[in-house]
Amino acid sequence: MGVEEGFRGNKLTLASIGFAEARGAGAFKDDGLLGVGLPKPKDGYLDWDVAVRLSLPDVGAAVRTLLRRREIAEFVSGAMAGTMTKAVLAPLETIRTRMVVGVGSKQIFGTFMEIMEHNGWQGLWAGNTINMIRIIPTQAIELGTFECVKRSMTSAQLRWKEDGCPKIQLGGLTIELPLHLSPIAVGGAAAGIVSTLVCHPLEVLKDRLTVNRDAYPRNIALAFNKIYRTEGVGGLYAGLCPTLVGMLPYSTCYYFMYETIKTSYCRAHEKKSLSRPELLVIGALSGLTASMISFPLEVARKRLMVGALRGRCPPNMVAALAEVVKEEGFKGLFRGWAASSLKVMPTSGVTWMFYEACKDILLAPHLA
């Protein structure tokens, strides 16, 4: 903060911007500046002949300017959408997790009654605190990464059309990167990989708190520390490989279906934008399709992540899939899919609806 000093008559003024008349009070505010008067004895009276002005930054304007940047707006919109969705749909997530890992009843209603009998209504939100902590960075990173990579790929393809595709030289072999890669598919795959690598420990912690609340302290920090002390870093990343393998087809299909359905619907109905109910339905359909394709890998991933609680953890994803088929047949690969669909469809629909609404609000000045 700069300070200027000058004289006006017999008055000495210190100011961050310009000069000011001395005040007859100890503090004042003028033109957005905070002033403090310093008294000086003069002929038996206090003469406020020195003023110091401190410039106060406009924090609100700075925040608004930051949020109007497209990348920041998408990041914040993703976090807000994920938070709202998980707060409303946490009970379905709890039921789905218990059915996928084989805890308790094999029926949706039976699982619901077991939770109510043993834990009451609070049991439906078991692990929801860590779920909320997990979903904020996960959705923010995932949706932000998707939008960023999609734009970057689209821009790069336009340049490649003019300058030619990039080439990779491996000895005497020249590999030309394909021009026809879908920016949406690449963005979806990147979104799933990046968010998983960053937030996987929170997913592990959430699942273990959901499945067995007695095995771990209810304090999130203590539970995190217990996993780290007993299993090391590997415990925090249990099931990472099948998660990444399962995330690729799910995330790629999920974003590809959403963008494709939305674009086709807008073109068919000659619309430039969609209403909230339309976004809700399109988001739900994209989530259902992606879940159907990747659900067996989701079953294997959950088995690996909570295997330690059951005293027998499959060594890898293939072994986990084989174990499920051996114990329950091929139907076991889709055990809990109905509950998952009930959770995935509203989650996907509500997430996209809130995300697009928040993004429209934050980027409104730039949409014209």
Side-chain angles (χ1 to χ4, degrees):
M1 176 183 65
V3 178
E4 298 179 2
E5 71 177 286
F7 293 91
R8 177 172 296 182
N10 64 343
K11 305 288 181 86
L12 173 64
T13 304
L14 298 179
S16 60
I17 301 178
F19 301 98
E21 292 291 342
R23 304 290 174 140
F28 58 88
K29 185 176 181 182
D30 185 25
D31 297 331
L33 301 176
L34 175 65
V36 180
L38 302 179
K40 179 181 179 181
K42 183 177 181 181
D43 299 329
Y45 297 96
L46 290 179
D47 181 16
W48 300 86
D49 63 350
V50 180
V52 178
R53 286 186 174 187
L54 305 176
S55 177
L56 298 179
D58 191 344
V59 178
V63 172
R64 287 192 295 270
T65 301
L66 181 64
L67 290 177
R68 284 171 185 164
R69 293 186 56 183
R70 179 166 292 275
E71 293 80 5
I72 300 298
E74 291 164 350
F75 187 90
V76 173
S77 297
M80 294 176 65
T83 301
M84 292 295 295
T85 302
K86 289 300 180 184
V88 174
L89 302 176
L92 289 177
E93 171 72 8
T94 300
I95 293 174
R96 184 188 73 96
T97 299
R98 291 174 64 92
M99 293 186 68
V100 167
V101 300
V103 175
S105 175
K106 297 181 180 181
Q107 305 297 324
I108 297 175
F109 184 74
T111 301
F112 171 79
M113 294 304 300
E114 286 179 352
I115 295 174
M116 291 295 297
E117 181 180 351
H118 293 94
N119 305 109
W121 287 104
Q122 291 183 346
L124 294 173
W125 275 267
N128 192 50
T129 301
I130 185 61
N131 206 17
M132 296 293 288
I133 295 175
R134 175 187 68 87
I135 203 61
I136 292 175
T138 298
Q139 285 287 33
I141 292 171
E142 188 172 318
L143 287 164
T145 300
F146 167 71
E147 298 278 15
C148 182
V149 173
K150 183 182 71 171
R151 280 196 303 272
S152 299
M153 278 292 297
T154 302
S155 177
Q157 287 184 341
L158 293 176
R159 293 196 304 270
W160 294 348
K161 288 181 179 180
E162 299 176 357
D163 305 332
C165 297
K167 299 178 181 180
I168 299 177
Q169 191 74 29
L170 296 177
L173 179 63
T174 300
I175 302 177
E176 186 173 283
L177 295 181
L179 179 64
H180 58 272
L181 286 175
S182 170
I184 299 173
V186 174
I193 292 174
V194 173
S195 64
T196 298
L197 291 176
V198 174
C199 304
H200 189 75
L202 294 174
E203 176 74 13
V204 172
L205 187 57
K206 186 269 297 184
D207 282 344
R208 296 197 180 187
L209 287 173
T210 301
V211 174
N212 193 342
R213 301 176 66 184
D214 298 328
Y216 294 93
R218 295 188 180 184
N219 182 286
I220 295 174
L222 293 177
F224 189 90
N225 186 52
K226 180 178 180 180
I227 296 175
Y228 177 76
R229 284 188 293 102
T230 56
E231 303 176 45
V233 177
L236 297 174
Y237 280 90
L240 177 62
C241 180
T243 297
L244 289 173
V245 173
M247 181 60 69
L248 276 173
Y250 175 81
S251 184
T252 302
C253 180
Y254 176 60
Y255 286 99
F256 182 82
M257 289 299 298
Y258 175 76
E259 290 287 340
T260 301
I261 295 174
K262 185 176 73 170
T263 302
S264 301
Y265 185 85
C266 288
R267 186 181 298 116
H269 293 79
E270 299 181 351
K271 290 186 174 184
K272 293 184 178 180
S273 61
L274 299 179
S275 65
R276 304 306 174 214
E278 289 171 330
L279 290 171
L280 181 69
V281 173
I282 292 174
L285 290 176
S286 62
L288 178 65
T289 304
S291 175
M292 184 186 303
I293 294 174
S294 62
F295 194 78
L297 296 176
E298 171 75 358
V299 173
R301 180 177 74 89
K302 294 290 186 181
R303 283 290 182 103
L304 288 173
M305 290 175 66
V306 300
L309 295 177
R310 304 174 64 188
R312 50 189 180 91
C313 183
N316 51 57
M317 184 180 62
V318 175
L321 289 171
E323 180 182 283
V324 173
V325 173
K326 181 179 179 180
E327 292 178 358
E328 307 176 39
F330 284 100
K331 291 183 178 180
L333 296 176
F334 288 90
R335 181 188 181 192
W337 183 73
S340 180
S341 298
L342 291 176
K343 175 256 180 184
V344 167
M345 290 182 67
T347 296
S348 179
V350 172
T351 296
W352 280 113
M353 184 180 67
F354 275 110
Y355 174 71
E356 298 286 4
C358 292
K359 191 171 66 171
D360 287 349
I361 293 172
L362 294 176
L363 296 177
H366 302 279
L367 294 179

